[in-house]
Amino acid sequence: MPTHSQHSRWFIAFLLFTAILCGALIMVVEVLGSRVIGPFFGVSLFIWTSLIAVTMISLALGYAVGGWLSDRYGEAHNLYAIILLAGLAVLWIPILKAPVLQFCVPLGLRLGSFVSTTLLFGPSLFLLGFVSPYLVRIAARELNSLGRTVGSFYAISTLGSVAGTALTGFVLIAWMGVDRIFQVVGLLLVLLGAGYLLATRHYRGLWPLLLLPLLLWMQPRQELPRVTMANGTQAELVASVDSHYGSVKVVDYSFGAKRVRELLIDGLVQGGVDASNGESVYEYPYFLQLLPWAMNPKMETALVIGMGAGVIPRWFDQQGVVTDVVDIDPVIYRMAREYFGATPRGEWYVEDARYFLTQSPKQYDLVVMDVFTGDTTPAHLLSVEALGLIEKRLGERGMLAINLAGELHRDTYMSASVIKTLRQVFEQVEIYPTFSPGPELSFGNLAVIAYQGPPRPLDKERLNRFSVHPMAREGVQANLGRRFEFPSGTPAIVLTDDYNPIDFFDSETREGVREIIINSTPWEILIYSG
């Protein structure tokens, strides 16, 4: 028979294992949350605020209620029954996400993200908040050195949280589907709870509960959805990959003889081409290609920041311009190559653009920045310091061309601030809307051209030399070369690394973009995470 001290030593070790596993799985749930609500609410500051706030609130309530319960029902089997219930709550997330998100999307970016996060992740995180007070209560009966034991539990739990965060961000998301990771997390919690209850023979009524995770785990893998839209268009998800940086999808749309292929990242369109010839069906790439080409006929080298579907680097390569590309996500390169035929002759750099601009000694005749989605503006690339780095990478007649999703008449604060910031670095900053701005239509893609020296005329002959896809031709012909200026006195600030509130003040614009995407992309494709 083991002595009491031997029993305590092994039991405390098991409790420490419980602490580290639960601490890790809490962070897995939190990090994965962005992948569940990202396609509908984005991955901006508001989304992470909702995720962190709901996690902290749920855990705090769990600590409080768990502490109260542990004083009254502090037996270990009650703790592991709660862990089992937390596992079941996690297993329900993939099943409940569709109806919950459908209910929450109309609530808007801020409220919708908070409510959906609360409904989906709050129950399991609340139950996992019970673990720490229960562990302390149980350990207090086993050992006299309570302070050291409590410290050990918190240290181990925190290390588990670090491990869970790193494992999810660096490994799991890239190798497993989001739904499958939730199933693994739920199953681990169920096994931990049920394993203890079965080992200690506290299993009355347990068997029916164990059938549920088994049935959920045995669900067949989802087929890539194919949907017929209201106008008769066939939409088919061709590929779906969860990378370290977002949910990347390729979608084909076909109607009669027409076939369009789009690249989506977290639900937002990052490029669309005619599948038969690779030409862009959207206006903004033509602006970023043709305007610099018409201003600098001697262009030989270019850098494109943001691969997307590879439309822009492929076009410049076809004109004989050696084009380098920098993008932080290797999955984007693979998708652009396999599904959009992108094969730039220049170098492909897989790294953060700001880091590349700091380290690279190369200079270019043109830098194209195409990383703005209208949803998550990378503030670290839109500060006066970052733009100064770009200016140093430009040759004598070098130019910067930016694709910016912006507002021109109503909520102009951030759009005007970007322009004001550019003018701190460049002598010439010109705005070319890809649409006809007016009271009814004041938001859309803006091509912004910046350079040093006197104004440069547009060579209209060079502009008219290239073909434009019929789906984009009307907008390009009507607006290419038409400049816009914000009225004098338009409120604006200079964006810096220290103060860059673009996520906050641009929220209404991003809500509008999300609404357009949700209304134009089939729900079955947005929700898919197989």
Side-chain angles (χ1 to χ4, degrees), residues 81-286:
I82 291 168
I83 291 174
L84 189 153
L85 291 175
L88 294 177
V90 173
L91 287 171
W92 276 101
I93 292 174
I95 296 172
L96 294 176
K97 67 178 182 181
V100 167
L101 288 168
Q102 281 183 313
F103 169 74
C104 293
V105 162
L107 300 179
L109 181 61
R110 283 177 256 202
L111 182 59
S113 63
F114 186 83
V115 173
S116 62
T117 302
T118 301
L119 294 176
L120 287 172
F121 314 117
S124 57
L125 293 171
F126 169 68
L127 291 171
L128 288 172
F130 287 32
V131 173
S132 291
Y134 257 94
L135 289 176
V136 172
R137 180 67 179 179
I138 295 167
R141 293 198 297 262
E142 297 289 327
L143 294 175
N144 294 323
S145 53
L146 181 59
R148 186 175 64 186
T149 304
V150 172
S152 297
F153 280 131
Y154 279 106
I156 287 290
S157 178
T158 302
L159 289 175
S161 296
V162 173
T165 303
L167 186 65
T168 305
F170 296 150
V171 179
L172 293 180
I173 287 177
W175 291 98
M176 299 173 67
V178 171
D179 286 355
R180 184 62 75 186
I181 300 174
F182 277 121
Q183 290 172 346
V184 169
V185 170
L187 189 61
L188 286 173
L189 291 170
V190 168
L191 289 176
L192 177 63
Y196 180 85
L197 294 175
L198 291 172
T200 57
R201 302 190 178 186
H202 291 88
Y203 48 75
R204 283 182 298 176
L206 183 62
W207 296 110
L209 288 177
L210 293 181
L211 291 176
L212 178 60
L214 182 62
L215 292 173
L216 293 175
W217 183 262
M218 293 176 62
Q219 282 188 327
R221 186 178 178 86
Q222 289 179 275
E223 296 293 332
L224 293 175
R226 182 183 178 89
V227 182
T228 301
M229 302 174 68
N231 62 359
T233 300
Q234 292 285 329
E236 180 180 4
L237 182 60
V238 176
S240 177
V241 178
D242 283 313
S243 76
H244 294 302
Y245 303 98
S247 175
V248 185
K249 296 176 180 178
V250 178
V251 184
D252 279 355
Y253 295 92
S254 57
F255 186 84
K258 295 180 180 178
R259 187 172 169 223
V260 172
R261 173 163 288 178
E262 290 186 343
L263 177 70
L264 276 65
I265 303 178
D266 287 325
L268 289 169
V269 178
Q270 301 297 303
V273 302
D274 186 320
S276 64
N277 57 24
E279 288 187 352
S280 174
V281 298
Y282 291 108
E283 292 88 350
Y284 78 88
Y286 295 102

Side-chain angles (χ1 to χ4, degrees), residues 268-403:
L268 289 169
V269 178
Q270 301 297 303
V273 302
D274 186 320
S276 64
N277 57 24
E279 288 187 352
S280 174
V281 298
Y282 291 108
E283 292 88 350
Y284 78 88
Y286 295 102
F287 282 69
L288 297 178
Q289 295 160 183
L290 295 175
L291 290 172
W293 185 256
M295 293 183 183
N296 186 4
K298 297 183 179 180
M299 188 186 308
E300 296 180 353
T301 59
L303 170 68
V304 176
I305 300 174
M307 182 65 168
V311 172
I312 294 173
R314 183 173 64 242
W315 187 88
F316 280 110
D317 271 336
Q318 291 170 350
Q319 314 317 315
V321 179
V322 178
T323 306
D324 293 346
V325 183
V326 58
D327 196 296
I328 197 170
D329 193 346
V331 170
I332 299 298
Y333 284 116
R334 177 161 65 86
M335 292 295 199
R337 181 176 58 250
E338 293 182 9
Y339 295 98
F340 296 88
T343 55
R345 290 189 295 131
E347 298 290 333
W348 291 13
Y349 298 94
V350 182
E351 54 189 289
D352 178 78
R354 180 79 178 256
Y355 179 81
F356 173 83
L357 293 168
T358 302
Q359 300 297 317
S360 174
K362 299 179 73 171
Q363 286 197 314
Y364 300 92
D365 297 319
L366 173 67
V367 173
V368 177
M369 190 187 299
D370 187 18
V371 293
F372 302 103
T373 65
D375 175 69
T376 51
T377 304
H380 74 296
L381 293 177
L382 257 192
S383 65
V384 69
E385 294 88 351
L387 295 171
L389 290 174
I390 294 177
E391 199 275 335
K392 291 179 181 178
R393 300 277 72 80
L394 296 175
E396 183 179 353
R397 285 182 55 81
M399 307 175 69
L400 169 63
I402 301 178
N403 174 35

